[in-house]
Amino acid sequence: MSIVVQKFGGTSVADAAKIKNVANAVIREYNNGKQVVAVVSAMGKTTDGLVKLAGDITEKPCSREMDMLLSTGEQISIALLSMAIQEAGYQSISLLASQIGIFTESIHSKARIVDIKTDKLQKHLNEGKIIIAAGFQGITRDGEITTLGRGGTDTTAVAIAAALKAEKCDIYTDVNAIYTADPRQVPRASRLETVSYSEMLELARVGAKVLHPRSVETAKQFNVPLRLRSSFNLDDPGTLVIGDDKMEIHRPVTGIAADLKQVRIAILRVPDQPGVAARIFSTLANSNISVDMIIQSLEEGNLNNIAFTVHENDLNNAIDVLESVRKDINAGEVVVDRNIAKVSLVGAGMVDRPGIAAGMFEAMAEAGINIKMIATSEIKISCLVDKDHAEEALRSIHTKFELDAKAEVQS
Ligand code: ASP
Ligand code: MG
């Protein structure tokens, strides 16, 4: 019998009525003759509420205790969903990551899954039970509770689908499909029928909030067919995320997104010597801080300015680390700019089509928006702009590349 993994996000299980609605979506799949594993997030804004609560106690909560706290949200939703399924007359069992054996690295707040045990899952499925698994959480080899990073339930679902060799993984959410841009920022965003793993991965990394980046990475690695669809409209097929080789046409531009949570850090007057950049960035890497958009500009004499962006959550940590490196390498001060946004354009089809970067810069010029930094990869171009210009930049790029739908997205 084939296995289907379904993921339900926080908005889909926000209250008792919605949990019953989700129970129906699960049962519907089960009645299609499938073995079903439903992976669930915490109800509504539960996780945000817990983060806030911790903030009322301390400014710098210990990350181990933070994981202990945040992982509780999913324990509530899985128990309630399992009850709703049982109430409808079906057999089900809710399971925490520790009970399944979802093992992660020993890192708190953004751990990666390293292994998933399938024996228990398989046993329950073979007994005809529907499994309700807690998303977002994991356990280390020595029994510590970890979490996968905000939005991590997507990743739990895809990883379970890969481990069980499931036929498909459906991500149920509160939107109908993946769009060329976030409709809250670009009202005339267009629906996408399909998007490739690589494009989706880039879009998720640059700020499209529809899917957790690591879930797409895992889907790509294990070739898990992934579909994003609405839990409130079960007949809508949503958007299919598939292998790059299965895409028939490569549009020059597939989608755009803005990341408002980046900050720019510059280290001024860095001595121009071999090994200095290696020193700075390996120290950041050793503290688990990812950096993006690195540029080095030549100043007069033998001094450089080095600028890059990090996620705002890593800022305090990054400053601590850089203050000590700066003294060792004899560089000038560390300067931070918080008022920035990274606006990115993604499309697998840009590889052999010239003029995409030029078109993006023209769109910004026409809107009178200043570009502060530029970075490119094979299928992505990113520009740093002032935070309050981000939405206007998105809309202008969207129009420039003829992505606008005829009508605004109804919400
Ligand atoms: N409940 C967690 C969060 O809000 C995980 C998730 O929603 O995927 O980030
Ligand atoms: Mg959530």
Side-chain angles (χ1 to χ4, degrees):
M1 208 186 278
S2 61
I3 300 174
V4 170
V5 175
Q6 300 178 304
K7 180 260 172 174
F8 297 94
T11 46
S12 303
V13 292
D15 55 36
K18 289 184 176 144
I19 289 176
K20 290 181 191 166
N21 172 57
V22 164
N24 285 335
V26 175
I27 290 167
R28 181 168 140 139
E29 203 64 271
Y30 183 84
N31 285 340
N32 281 338
K34 309 289 182 188
Q35 293 184 321
V36 185
V37 180
V39 183
V40 187
S41 296
M43 293 170 71
K45 299 248 174 273
T46 304
T47 313
D48 289 337
L50 294 170
V51 170
K52 182 162 179 307
L53 207 50
D56 292 343
I57 303 270
T58 163
E59 251 175 49
K60 276 197 173 168
C62 148
S63 58
R64 178 191 184 274
E65 303 309 338
M66 209 53 193
D67 280 356
M68 185 66 88
L69 177 69
L70 298 192
S71 62
T72 60
E74 277 69 15
Q75 184 162 351
I76 299 173
S77 54
I78 57 170
L80 292 171
L81 178 57
S82 186
M83 287 177 200
I85 291 171
Q86 291 167 4
E87 180 68 14
Y90 293 79
Q91 275 185 287
S92 67
I93 182 166
S94 62
L95 295 170
L96 295 169
S98 54
Q99 295 173 302
I100 296 170
I102 301 181
F103 292 102
T104 71
E105 323 163 299
S106 297
I107 290 175
H108 287 291
S109 86
K110 50 180 169 186
R112 283 173 172 267
I113 296 175
V114 292
D115 185 28
I116 297 186
K117 294 275 160 266
T118 53
D119 42 343
K120 203 178 222 169
L121 291 171
Q122 206 68 66
K123 175 178 158 283
H124 288 300
L125 290 174
N126 292 343
E127 287 168 6
K129 284 181 222 153
I130 294 168
I131 294 174
I132 316 299
F136 176 57
Q137 52 178 257
I139 187 145
T140 67
R141 294 280 177 203
D142 42 13
E144 287 294 308
I145 292 176
T146 52
T147 63
L148 312 181
R150 298 300 308 271
T153 305
D154 292 344
T155 301
T156 308
V158 177
I160 289 180
L164 289 174
K165 302 194 171 50
E167 165 195 326
K168 59 176 180 168
C169 181
D170 282 349
I171 308 282
Y172 287 85
T173 179
D174 53 350
V175 294
N176 289 327
I178 297 170
Y179 286 81
T180 48
D182 184 336
R184 282 166 298 192
Q185 295 167 322
V186 181
R188 289 180 65 193
S190 310
R191 263 181 83 120
L192 292 165
E193 221 168 283
T194 53
V195 52
S196 73
Y197 292 133
S198 307
E199 290 171 323
M200 195 57 233
L201 193 53
E202 290 283 15
L203 282 167
R205 282 187 183 141
V206 297
K209 284 178 224 65
V210 278
L211 286 167
H212 193 237
R214 219 172 296 143
S215 70
V216 188
E217 212 174 275
T218 310
K220 180 175 178 179
Q221 187 180 352
F222 297 98
N223 240 308
V224 178
L226 199 61
R227 192 181 281 283
L228 184 115
R229 57 195 308 174
S230 167
S231 54
F232 304 111
N233 185 356
L234 300 179
D235 294 320
D236 189 323
T239 302
L240 191 59
V241 189
I242 48 172
D244 308 16
D245 51 326
K246 298 203 181 74
M247 294 287 292
E248 287 183 358
I249 23 160
H250 282 301
R251 304 150 286 216
V253 178
T254 297
I256 60 176
D259 185 346
L260 304 176
K261 298 213 179 288
Q262 296 282 311
V263 287
R264 179 169 71 169
I265 301 179
I267 314 171
L268 307 183
R269 299 184 305 283
V270 178
D272 192 15
Q273 284 159 10
V276 168
R279 180 69 199 281
I280 296 172
F281 292 103
S282 60
T283 318
L284 288 165
N286 291 339
S287 306
N288 243 311
I289 299 170
S290 304
V291 303
D292 191 21
M293 295 190 95
I294 305 169
I295 56 166
Q296 170 175 306
S297 61
L298 206 58
E299 283 296 288
E300 59 301 331
N302 53 354
L303 297 175
N304 294 320
N305 292 336
I306 296 184
F308 52 92
T309 59
V310 298
H311 192 278
E312 62 182 20
N313 290 350
D314 288 328
L315 178 62
N316 288 341
N317 230 339
I319 292 178
D320 287 350
V321 167
L322 291 171
E323 277 302 331
S324 67
V325 181
R326 177 181 82 83
K327 291 191 193 104
D328 292 349
I329 60 173
N330 225 338
E333 58 275 25
V334 175
V335 187
V336 174
D337 184 356
R338 287 186 176 77
N339 179 31
I340 55 143
K342 184 171 71 180
V343 174
S344 307
L345 171 157
V346 172
M350 74 170 71
V351 176
D352 42 28
R353 236 172 287 214
I356 305 296
M360 182 174 183
F361 305 151
E362 273 163 32
M364 310 273 234
E366 283 154 21
I369 295 170
N370 186 37
I371 301 171
K372 300 173 115 177
M373 249 166 134
I374 300 169
T376 61
S377 76
E378 202 178 19
I379 65 165
K380 177 191 74 183
I381 307 165
S382 300
C383 294
L384 217 60
V385 300
D386 280 341
K387 208 172 235 160
D388 40 348
H389 289 154
E391 285 196 7
E392 206 188 334
L394 284 176
R395 286 194 287 266
S396 159
I397 298 164
H398 202 264
T399 305
K400 183 90 184 169
F401 287 97
E402 297 175 354
L403 299 173
D404 289 351
K406 287 195 187 71
E408 294 194 353
V409 177
Q410 301 302 317
S411 58

